[in-house]
Amino acid sequence: MEWRHICVDMQRMFAEDTPWHVPWMQTVLPQVTELSQRHAMHTIFTRFVPPENPDLMPGTWRAYYGKWWMMTGEHLPQEMVDVVPALKKLIPPARCFDKRVYSPWLDGRLHNVLSGEHVSTLVISGGETDVCVLATVMGAIDLGYRTIILKDAVCSGADETHDASLELLGNRFSVQLELMETEEFLSGAGWQ
C-alpha cells in the first residue's frame, strides 16, 4: 500500500496572533510533528495562500478577502504563510503544496502527483477540521482514496463544528473513511 500524509495548513498565520488564529493548533502540533518527523518522505504540507489583493480572486472570494483584507499579501508578512517552524525544518524531504482555496484538489495538480506515485491511501492531519480539512477529505473520497483522519491531529477554531464535522464524516462516510488516533496509525494499524 502506498500512502501519503497530507498535513493541511499548519501555518504560522493560523498558529500565531492573527485574526485567523486557531488556538487548538498548539494542542495537535505534537501529534502532527511526530508523524511528520517519522515519515517526512511521505508528508505533504498544504499551504493556504491568500492573494496579494481581493481583486485577484474570482466571485465571492473577493467579498471574503474584502472582509479579511488584513490577511492578503499586501498586509500579511510573507513568512506568515509558511508552515510552523517545527514542520518547516522537515522540508525537504517533506514537500509543500500551495493552494488558493480550501480544497487542494481543484486544479488537479495534487491528484496528478499522487497518481504518478501510485498512492492509494491518504492520512489527514491539520486544520481546520470544518473548513480546509473537510474540503481535503471530501475531495479525497471523491477521487477514490482510502482516507484516514487522525482525530487527535486535526483542529478547528470552533469546537462545535469540529465535533460535528468528525461525527458527520465518521457516520456518513464510514465505508470510505476511517477515524483513528495518531498513535494507532503509527503502530501500523493504518498500513494494512
Side-chain angles (χ1 to χ4, degrees):
M1 172 193 80
E2 195 61 38
W3 65 277
R4 293 293 178 271
H5 168 215
I6 306 293
C7 180
V8 180
D9 304 356
M10 291 288 286
Q11 296 166 258
R12 291 183 57 190
M13 65 181 172
F14 302 117
E16 298 181 21
D17 186 18
T18 74
W20 288 352
H21 178 65
V22 179
W24 269 39
M25 193 168 278
Q26 288 305 314
T27 304
V28 302
L29 185 59
Q31 292 80 254
V32 172
T33 303
E34 180 71 19
L35 175 57
S36 300
Q37 284 176 336
R38 284 203 211 175
H39 299 285
M41 296 213 35
H42 284 84
T43 296
I44 299 172
F45 299 110
T46 65
R47 298 189 320 167
F48 184 74
V49 181
E52 192 63 20
N53 65 65
D55 293 335
L56 296 174
M57 294 297 284
T60 58
W61 282 105
R62 283 192 199 106
Y64 178 84
Y65 282 110
K67 175 181 178 178
W68 298 108
W69 59 268
M70 73 295 294
M71 299 302 289
T72 61
E74 292 175 321
H75 304 282
L76 186 71
Q78 181 61 38
E79 64 270 12
M80 295 299 280
V81 173
D82 282 341
V83 295
V84 296
L87 302 175
K88 186 176 180 180
K89 67 183 181 183
L90 301 174
I91 305 166
R95 295 175 277 176
C96 261
F97 181 87
D98 290 348
K99 59 194 176 77
R100 291 273 184 200
V101 295
Y102 303 137
S103 173
W105 307 111
L106 200 59
D107 66 10
R109 291 180 299 131
L110 181 58
H111 180 55
N112 286 340
V113 167
L114 296 173
S115 294
E117 296 172 5
H118 308 289
V119 172
S120 60
T121 299
L122 298 178
V123 181
I124 311 293
S125 69
E128 291 188 57
T129 312
D130 45 355
V131 185
C132 292
V133 167
L134 181 62
T136 301
V137 167
M138 294 306 297
I141 290 170
D142 280 344
L143 291 166
Y145 292 100
R146 175 184 177 215
T147 305
I148 300 169
I149 298 176
L150 300 178
K151 59 186 178 181
D152 62 336
V154 292
C155 61
S156 176
D159 292 353
E160 187 176 314
T161 50
H162 165 83
D163 294 343
S165 296
L166 288 179
E167 184 175 344
L168 166 75
L169 291 166
N171 290 340
R172 294 301 301 264
F173 300 96
S174 60
V175 172
Q176 298 159 304
L177 172 97
E178 298 163 65
L179 295 174
M180 193 178 288
E181 299 283 336
T182 304
E183 193 49 51
E184 182 184 1
F185 177 78
L186 288 171
S187 71
W191 305 0
Q192 302 158 4

